[in-house]
Amino acid sequence: MSQKPSIVPATPSTSPVPTAGQSTSLASRGNLYTIATQQVEKGCKAINIDPSVHAIISQPKNELIINFPVRMDSGDVRMFKGYRVQHNNILGPFKGGIRYHEEANLDEMKALAAWMTYKCALHDIPFGGGKGGIKFNPRSHSKTELERITRRFTHALGSNIGPEWDIPAPDVGTNAQTMVWMMDTYMNVVGATEKNSVRRIVTGKSVTSGGSHGREQATGRGIVHCITEWARENRMNLDGRSFIVQGFGNVGSHTARILSKLGATLVATGDYRGYIANPEGLNAHKLAEHVGATGSVIDYRGGRPITRDEFFGMDCDVFVPAALELELGVHEARLLKAKVVVEGANGPTYPEAEELLLERGIDVIPDILANAGGVIVSYYEWLQNKRSERWDLEEVESRLERRMKRNYALVRDFAEERKMDWRTACYAIGLERIQTNYLERGVFP
Ligand code: NAD
């Protein structure tokens, strides 16, 4: 439990924007950290940030890379590469997801960790920003291998995570089961007497193992609160309106199911294997069952296959990107017919594409505002564990709704008053909170 973070030099590269309609590999999409930095810089300028605060937040506090061995079902041993980046903890313990993906890399983790810092600051959650993961494809491993990979990684992270230090959660390729394995491993390492006091080492656990009611669907629910606020302000009745969702995992499928209950129609969706459409409506609940059984939306009998370009060009009112980062380039922005883009994924939109969307009069509700439902309810889960409490679903959901709507209004008013786009407003609000803390506390010694 005493492994110390190793410092790895940052090597950001330039960020080419794909103009073709094909989804590209993450490696060829441009550097996510460079894009995240550009976004934050606009926020820094907007608040005329203090140079010392700017210097501190410009790089993550800790960047950890761990290579660790795991025995496969065949008996062979395979090496895995794991990451944990801790960006900033001035507001509270580092907090952020664990991603299992074959193209996971350090710069991606740095971008995602930084976004967590500003997301928590914007929503006034007393957490900092972290992100981690393992570079491998979880779909090509058995459940027993996934368990051994997760437990060995948790053990290797050692004291680099902790219930008051750094608290992981699910992200792409991980889920409640992954979190329960992480929790159980950590509990066994700290020993019997400490065991129950460290349950909050991770959030996003199953309800039976100490998770919160409402956590699984929280990100989708938060996105829908943003959509209903936007619709109300734009005098749009969602009943009978149409929407498309890219990615039908945790975030995409819950968004689709909750929005369908409000009377809106899911007309197209897609995942890593392809896209489907039905202008009469796809049944989001049945589709989620199909994905649960087959692992993908394709072959769903209620829809017909379409190309990626057809997906982006579908007639619809709302678009929710909920797959991976950098899926919405200039090419896709030209095709899009939606009136609003509500970012469920982290960093789905290239800066150049966002400019084009805004020029075209398409509103963009940025990721750190729209997809914060997950970290908000993670905070509620952490609080419940800390206080040995159990809140019912109604209480969790009403708290989430109040917080999402309050922060939506905060960003809207800030952007209007200071005449800036919503993304810059989100960073400016978060940065101001962080700056006030640094200026009050000073830099030790
Ligand atoms: P998930 O693994 O449950 O689902 C991801 C979905 O995206 C899957 O349907 C997958 O097939 C699809 N996908 C992957 N690559 C694709 C591609 N190239 N084209 C189209 N679809 C593709 O992950 P998730 O938890 O739903 O996370 C989705 C996004 O939301 C990520 O950006 C994540 O960081 C972000 N996010 C998640 C949470 C959360 O609570 N889970 C919270 C905030 C933000």
Side-chain angles (χ1 to χ4, degrees), residues 23-24 29 99 101 112 116 119 131 139 170-174 215-216 218-219 246-253 270-275 291 295-297 308 321-325 327 344-347 371-375:
S23 183
T24 49
R29 286 181 199 191
R99 174 172 292 197
H101 195 276
L112 292 163
M116 281 301 289
K119 194 185 298 185
K131 202 78 179 192
R139 283 186 283 266
D171 190 69
V172 174
T174 59
R215 170 60 183 89
E216 196 194 318
T219 307
Q246 188 198 30
F248 210 77
N250 174 297
V251 178
S253 73
D271 62 22
Y272 76 108
R273 291 190 62 197
Y275 292 85
V291 173
S296 170
V297 300
R308 189 172 182 277
L324 293 178
E325 49 273 0
E327 282 288 331
N346 286 308
N371 73 20
V375 72

Side-chain angles (χ1 to χ4, degrees), residues 13-17 25-35 326 350:
S13 62
T14 52
S15 52
V17 183
S25 74
L26 289 185
S28 60
R29 286 181 199 191
N31 187 295
L32 200 63
Y33 188 58
T34 309
I35 291 173
L326 303 184
Y350 280 92

Side-chain angles (χ1 to χ4, degrees), residues 249-271:
N250 174 297
V251 178
S253 73
H254 283 295
T255 302
R257 282 178 272 183
I258 299 165
L259 205 48
S260 299
K261 283 192 183 151
L262 301 180
T265 308
L266 174 67
V267 290
T269 188
D271 62 22

Side-chain angles (χ1 to χ4, degrees), residues 176-422:
Q177 174 65 79
T178 323
M179 293 305 113
V180 173
W181 286 329
M182 287 191 81
M183 178 193 75
D184 186 71
T185 307
Y186 193 83
M187 279 176 152
N188 279 293
V189 171
V190 295
T193 55
E194 295 290 309
K195 202 169 177 165
N196 277 306
S197 66
V198 297
R199 197 176 288 273
R200 65 188 190 288
I201 177 65
V202 286
T203 58
K205 305 179 286 284
S206 66
V207 174
T208 43
S209 287
S212 177
H213 290 292
R215 170 60 183 89
E216 196 194 318
Q217 60 274 35
T219 307
R221 195 163 288 285
I223 290 165
V224 174
H225 288 314
C226 289
I227 296 171
T228 52
E229 287 303 281
W230 179 90
R232 194 172 54 77
E233 286 173 1
N234 286 277
R235 296 189 173 75
M236 179 190 278
N237 183 353
L238 285 171
D239 196 1
R241 295 294 181 153
S242 58
F243 67 101
I244 60 174
V245 175
Q246 188 198 30
F248 210 77
N250 174 297
V251 178
S253 73
H254 283 295
T255 302
R257 282 178 272 183
I258 299 165
L259 205 48
S260 299
K261 283 192 183 151
L262 301 180
T265 308
L266 174 67
V267 290
T269 188
D271 62 22
Y272 76 108
R273 291 190 62 197
Y275 292 85
I276 58 166
N278 183 347
E280 301 302 312
L282 296 158
N283 183 319
H285 298 272
K286 288 195 176 141
L287 183 56
E289 280 171 24
H290 174 82
V291 173
T294 66
S296 170
V297 300
I298 62 159
D299 298 332
Y300 175 64
R301 298 248 293 268
R304 67 173 175 86
I306 53 167
T307 64
R308 189 172 182 277
D309 275 4
E310 284 173 320
F311 169 79
F312 279 99
M314 280 295 286
D315 271 323
C316 67
D317 299 294
V318 178
F319 170 44
V320 180
L324 293 178
E325 49 273 0
L326 303 184
E327 282 288 331
L328 180 47
V330 170
H331 174 80
E332 291 78 11
R334 281 199 191 109
L335 294 174
L336 215 62
K337 299 211 173 77
K339 296 171 186 65
V340 62
V341 175
V342 188
E343 293 183 339
N346 286 308
T349 313
Y350 280 92
E352 297 82 351
E354 181 170 9
E355 270 173 35
L356 180 60
L357 291 172
L358 297 179
E359 267 169 40
R360 290 189 55 211
I362 300 173
D363 288 340
V364 178
I365 304 183
D367 46 9
I368 66 168
L369 172 60
N371 73 20
V375 72
I376 291 172
V377 177
S378 274
Y379 169 50
Y380 297 159
E381 177 176 335
W382 184 83
L383 273 182
Q384 289 171 71
N385 291 164
K386 189 166 171 152
R387 301 172 178 172
S388 296
E389 287 178 1
R390 177 77 96 187
W391 304 352
D392 61 26
L393 182 61
E394 205 187 356
E395 176 163 5
V396 172
E397 289 190 343
S398 66
R399 282 178 187 246
L400 173 64
E401 180 174 358
R402 266 202 313 278
R403 196 181 277 258
M404 285 301 301
K405 290 187 173 172
R406 184 186 72 204
N407 294 331
Y408 181 98
L410 178 71
V411 173
R412 178 203 57 211
D413 294 349
F414 193 98
E416 265 171 32
E417 274 164 28
R418 308 233 196 153
K419 305 208 174 347
M420 57 180 72
D421 63 83
W422 281 40

